[in-house]
Amino acid sequence: MKTTLLLDLELMGRAQEITGISSKTAVIHEGLRSLLEREARRALILAKGSAPVGSKLVPRRTI
């Protein structure tokens, strides 16, 4: 889906430099994934470590 965005070019440049991602689209996708992960983590903390019934949790490591 194409969308027109007004971006802070300095912020985009810093994100590209720090991450090593050259594509602006890829930087935005990575930022969205990070935002969703952070908010999921925050929701889990607020739920005092219990996951809602039926939620999909991705294991961090295998044993």
Side-chain angles (χ1 to χ4, degrees):
M1 171 175 84
K2 277 195 152 209
T3 302
T4 301
L5 301 171
L6 296 175
L7 300 173
D8 179 330
L9 295 179
E10 184 179 326
L11 186 61
M12 177 60 74
R14 285 177 43 210
Q16 287 177 304
E17 186 178 321
I18 289 170
T19 62
I21 301 172
S22 60
S23 163
K24 290 177 185 173
T25 299
V27 168
I28 291 170
H29 286 174
E30 183 61 32
L32 289 171
R33 279 190 286 275
S34 294
L35 176 65
L36 291 171
E37 183 178 311
R38 183 187 75 196
E39 292 305 316
R41 194 175 315 117
R42 184 186 319 235
L44 191 59
I45 290 168
L46 289 174
K48 305 222 188 294
S50 60
V53 175
S55 65
K56 275 182 110 173
L57 296 178
V58 178
R60 291 288 182 193
R61 59 183 167 186
T62 58
I63 297 175

